[in-house]
Amino acid sequence: MAKIIDDETIENVCILAKLSLNEEAKEKAKEDMQKMLDYVEKLDELDTKGVEPLSHIFGDQNVFREDVVTNGDNKEAMLANAPKAKEGQYQVPKTIG
C-alpha cells in the first residue's frame, strides 16, 4: 500500500524545497503527490520478469569521437590581427597599479 501524503509530509517538502505555499496550494500539492505515489504503486503491479534493465533507451555504445586536433596552432595568424604583440603574446595595457 502506498504511503499517504499528510500535512507533515507537505510541510517537510516545503521546507526542503524552500517553498511557501498557502493552504489551497498545499492541498493541491498533497493531491498531486498522492496521485504520483498511487501511479508508482500501480506500476509495481506489472510483471517485469524477463525484461532487461535499461540504463539508456538507445543501444549506442560510444558516440564520441577521438579528441584529435585538426586545425592546428594558428598563433601567427591570430597575432597578426593584434594591435600590439610581444614575445608571441598579446600585449595589453597594464590594468593593476
Side-chain angles (χ1 to χ4, degrees), residues 4-18:
I4 303 297
I5 302 297
D6 56 9
D7 292 334
E8 182 182 348
T9 303
I10 287 295
E11 286 297 327
N12 193 26
V13 169
C14 287
I15 291 168
L16 293 173
K18 297 183 180 180

Side-chain angles (χ1 to χ4, degrees), residues 73 75-76 79 82 84-92:
D73 182 13
K75 186 164 80 171
E76 289 80 22
L79 285 175
K84 290 185 179 179
K86 182 179 180 181
E87 298 176 6
Q89 299 177 0
Y90 292 99
Q91 186 176 358
V92 296

Side-chain angles (χ1 to χ4, degrees), residues 59-92:
D60 298 337
Q61 295 298 320
N62 183 0
V63 295
F64 301 109
R65 62 172 171 74
E66 290 296 318
D67 191 14
V68 178
V69 177
T70 57
N71 59 352
D73 182 13
N74 250 349
K75 186 164 80 171
E76 289 80 22
M78 289 188 291
L79 285 175
N81 293 321
K84 290 185 179 179
K86 182 179 180 181
E87 298 176 6
Q89 299 177 0
Y90 292 99
Q91 186 176 358
V92 296

Side-chain angles (χ1 to χ4, degrees), residues 33-49:
M33 288 176 72
Q34 190 63 55
K35 286 178 185 176
M36 286 185 257
L37 287 179
D38 292 343
Y39 184 72
V40 169
E41 185 177 83
K42 184 75 172 165
L43 289 176
D44 283 341
E45 296 173 9
L46 292 174
D47 180 20
T48 57
K49 290 184 181 99

